[in-house]
């Protein structure tokens, strides 16, 4: 089983945790809204948990910045960093923590929106090698988000 599964048209990207392959994050249903905004769906799964958001928006106006730039920064810092690093939007939160042994824990958090009356949140954590695996995730997410 591969850690990264990509369809030929980049319509889907799956990132699996190598230590627990049943834990994964799936990005799919990419669509361009206009020249400045895209949407995509996100599904996370782990033992006993599955959650999905059908429409996550990413635009050039997001205060969080470009997700691919965040991931590229993690890949560049393969020797490690102190504390948590986070990329946060209203619906998707990605937190990265560097651990000894050259591993990065990526916690992928989903929430339908901060203002939802009956709100929920969940997250799954994938652990990747700081070097090659982190670089590959950054490149694959870039290809997925910047398609079309």
């Amino acid at each position: 089983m591969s850690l990264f599964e990509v369809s030929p048209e980049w319509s889907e990207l799956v990132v699996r945790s190598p230590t627990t392959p049943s834990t994964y994050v799936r990005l799919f249903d990419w669509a361009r809204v206009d020249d400045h905004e895209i949407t995509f769906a996100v599904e996370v799964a782990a033992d006993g948990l599955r959650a999905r958001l059908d429409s996550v928006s990413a635009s050039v106006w997001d205060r969080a910045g470009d997700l691919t730039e965040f991931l590229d920064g993690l890949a560049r810092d393969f020797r490690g960093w102190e504390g948590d690093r986070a990329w946060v939007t209203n619906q998707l939160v990605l937190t990265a923590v560097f651990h000894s042994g050259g591993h990065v824990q990526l916690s992928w958090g989903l929430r339908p929106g901060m203002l939802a009356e009956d709100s929920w949140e969940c997250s799954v954590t994938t652990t990747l090698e700081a070097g090659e695996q982190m670089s590959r995730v950054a490149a694959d997410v870039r290809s997925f988000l910047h398609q079309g």
Side-chain angles (χ1 to χ4, degrees):
M1 178 179 303
S2 173
L3 295 179
F4 316 102
E5 301 168 18
V6 181
S7 71
E9 298 86 30
W10 284 101
S11 59
E12 179 174 289
L13 169 64
V14 178
V15 179
R16 292 190 186 279
S17 187
T19 55
T20 51
S22 62
T23 299
Y24 68 84
V25 177
R26 181 171 77 115
L27 308 178
F28 60 105
D29 285 348
W30 180 95
R32 179 169 298 287
V33 175
D34 58 32
D35 288 342
H36 307 288
E37 182 179 9
I38 62 166
T39 62
F40 56 95
V42 180
E43 179 182 64
V44 297
D47 288 336
L49 170 77
R50 177 167 282 140
R52 172 180 169 153
L53 290 176
D54 289 324
S55 183
V56 173
S57 174
S59 78
V60 296
W61 298 288
D62 287 338
R63 287 181 294 159
D66 190 333
L67 175 56
T68 59
E69 291 175 12
F70 175 75
L71 293 169
D72 284 341
L74 299 177
R76 275 191 307 273
D77 292 342
F78 64 92
R79 288 193 168 91
W81 62 84
E82 295 292 322
D84 297 358
R85 292 184 179 179
W87 182 86
V88 180
T89 68
N90 285 341
Q91 298 170 300
L92 182 61
V93 176
L94 182 57
T95 305
V97 178
F98 185 85
H99 289 279
S100 63
H103 291 92
V104 176
Q105 280 189 324
L106 295 175
S107 294
W108 306 77
L110 300 183
R111 53 190 182 192
M114 293 173 55
L115 302 177
E117 193 171 295
D118 294 324
S119 189
W120 56 267
E121 289 186 36
C122 79
S123 69
V124 300
T125 300
T126 56
T127 302
L128 305 171
E129 292 176 2
E132 182 62 32
Q133 289 178 355
M134 194 67 241
S135 294
R136 175 122 184 251
V137 165
D140 287 351
V141 169
R142 169 176 277 105
S143 293
F144 175 82
L145 292 178
H146 294 190
Q147 63 185 305

